[in-house]
Amino acid sequence: MIHEKLTRYLAGLGDLKLEEPMGRHTTFRVGGPADVFFTPRDPSCLGEVRALARENDIPFTVIGGGSNLLVGDMGIRGIVARVCAPGNSAGLVRPENDESAVLYADARAGKKSFIECALSKGLEGMEFMAGLPGCVGGGIAMNAGTNLGCFSDILTKVRYIGADGRAVDREITPEMAKYRNLAVEDGAIFLGGWFRMRRAENPEASARLIDEIIRDREFKHPLEYPSAGSVFKNPEGHSSWKLVNDAGLRGYRIGGAMVSEKHTNFIINAVDASASDIALLIRHVRETVFEKFGVSLEPEVKMLGIF
Ligand SMILES: Cc1cc2nc3c(=O)[nH]c(=O)nc-3n(C[C@H](O)[C@H](O)[C@H](O)COP(=O)(O)OP(=O)(O)OC[C@H]3O[C@@H](n4cnc5c(N)ncnc54)[C@H](O)[C@@H]3O)c2cc1C
């Protein structure tokens, strides 16, 4: 049960919704209610909010744009803090100074806004972000990317709230950069990051490349359905889509969840899927691939809450 005093305190710091269906905040469009869904006006308050939640034995979860999440049908207990404002990103990405090729991006900025800002400043190096959904904070946490590059390729420093609740700036080292994870500090709440770009010799070519990447993704990915992108990480030496495909699972369904026919590393919410349908399908795919090929698929999608 959330303390009444705590909810009043949170309401003073941002937007607060009680029993908020998480399906409204995830690209899978599934997930039961968060007890308290909190969007802070200024995310730097989250260290204090997390400490208060801990003192009161209340679970605390941070999310971004919800594009890599599977939230259980029974929802998430405690406080869910959203650090993302993709539709309202103006001013959240800015150049370090007029001459430099370094951009500072607030964690709440949409990746799309990041790209637009970089393009408008005549910079390049961010093309790999084209078509990636969600916010900069989620991209940093996931070290999101594609075979063209990933966040840690251009991220030089992050601002985050550490375990002690204080905001710190920390340089990114190569050891922190993992496959779909940035290992800065356990429980880090990212507030923003500095990205080192390059002056584009031909800015039009950069814009064209971004358009091409987006068109290619539209062609290859089942974007007409709710999903969370690639469900499984690629195991060393393998492609997950190929393992799933060769296991005969293309189009396989459980309830309203289906292995996409267009891209077999996507599970789509084909018709009114529940989170349990999707979770069961993920389990079935893992078991089948392991039985057939002895390869263990590790989910890239983060599972939150109660199923
Ligand atoms: C159609 C589609 C295509 C996709 N394609 C790709 C792709 O090509 N490459 C790729 O890497 N991903 C891809 N994804 C997955 C997803 O978009 C990325 O992982 C994205 O970076 C997640 O950002 P988000 O803001 O939505 O984070 P969320 O999904 O909300 O969160 C992801 C994780 O980051 C944590 N997190 C979020 N914000 C913060 C913060 N401020 N501080 C600390 N932790 C935080 C959350 O706790 C969670 O563990 C795709 C998803 C979809 C729906």
Side-chain angles (χ1 to χ4, degrees):
M1 208 43 167
I2 307 291
H3 225 273
E4 215 184 295
K5 227 165 104 186
L6 186 55
T7 50
R8 270 207 308 274
Y9 165 74
L10 291 180
L13 294 172
D15 185 59
L16 192 77
K17 291 191 170 76
L18 302 180
E19 297 296 317
E20 174 70 358
M22 287 300 295
R24 291 184 187 159
H25 304 284
T26 61
T27 52
F28 254 137
R29 297 277 164 252
V30 300
D35 289 340
V36 173
F37 188 81
F38 174 54
T39 310
R41 264 191 306 279
D42 176 359
S44 56
C45 70
L46 289 178
E48 206 172 301
V49 172
R50 178 170 63 184
L52 277 173
R54 277 191 190 142
E55 272 167 33
N56 290 281
D57 259 339
I58 295 167
F60 176 83
T61 308
V62 175
I63 67 161
S67 63
N68 201 48
L69 303 179
L70 177 59
V71 176
D73 296 314
M74 308 299 286
I76 308 184
R77 300 293 72 83
I79 299 167
V80 173
R82 184 178 200 242
V83 181
C84 189
N88 184 22
S89 286
L92 294 181
V93 186
R94 54 179 172 72
E96 189 69 343
N97 61 52
D98 282 349
E99 287 78 43
S100 95
V102 176
L103 292 182
Y104 176 80
D106 188 298
R108 292 168 290 174
K111 296 178 181 80
K112 195 162 173 263
S113 304
F114 183 94
I115 292 174
E116 281 163 6
C117 179
L119 275 177
S120 73
K121 303 287 169 211
L123 303 176
E124 64 176 18
M126 68 306 177
E127 294 78 2
F128 72 88
M129 262 190 231
L132 295 193
C135 286
V136 165
I140 294 175
M142 292 299 304
N143 195 13
T146 66
N147 53 2
L148 298 173
C150 62
F151 267 61
S152 59
D153 293 345
I154 56 172
L155 187 63
T156 58
K157 193 164 64 170
V158 284
R159 176 165 295 165
Y160 68 96
I161 299 172
D164 62 1
R166 280 197 225 139
V168 279
D169 294 346
R170 194 160 167 201
E171 305 286 335
I172 297 301
T173 61
E175 298 72 45
M176 292 175 187
K178 313 278 183 213
Y179 174 38
R180 298 299 166 262
N181 177 32
L182 194 75
V184 174
E185 181 183 323
D186 280 352
I189 302 173
F190 294 107
L191 299 175
W194 285 262
F195 295 82
R196 182 169 296 286
M197 321 286 289
R198 297 180 302 271
R199 293 254 154 243
E201 278 176 26
N202 182 350
E204 286 79 32
S206 190
R208 264 200 311 277
L209 176 58
I210 286 167
D211 285 346
E212 271 166 34
I213 294 171
I214 290 174
R215 268 202 308 279
D216 187 55
R217 289 172 68 92
E218 283 167 356
F219 179 70
K220 290 181 178 152
H221 295 172
L223 301 183
E224 59 280 28
Y225 291 99
S227 80
S230 291
V231 172
F232 302 107
K233 295 182 184 175
N234 286 322
E236 194 75 41
H238 297 276
S239 290
S240 292
W241 74 265
K242 190 160 188 333
L243 290 166
V244 179
N245 185 63
D246 293 353
L249 292 167
R250 181 180 291 265
Y252 190 90
R253 295 178 90 117
I254 293 184
M258 181 172 122
V259 174
S260 166
E261 293 183 325
K262 203 168 178 185
H263 190 310
T264 47
N265 198 20
F266 275 58
I267 286 180
I268 56 171
N269 178 353
V271 204
D272 294 333
S274 63
S276 304
D277 293 341
I278 298 169
L280 284 172
L281 185 52
I282 290 176
R283 195 165 81 188
H284 179 77
V285 170
R286 294 186 76 191
E287 285 172 359
T288 310
V289 165
F290 190 75
E291 271 164 29
K292 297 218 169 179
F293 307 115
V295 179
S296 187
L297 289 179
E298 194 193 327
E300 181 171 322
V301 169
K302 304 282 183 190
M303 303 230 199
L304 295 180
I306 306 170
F307 283 80

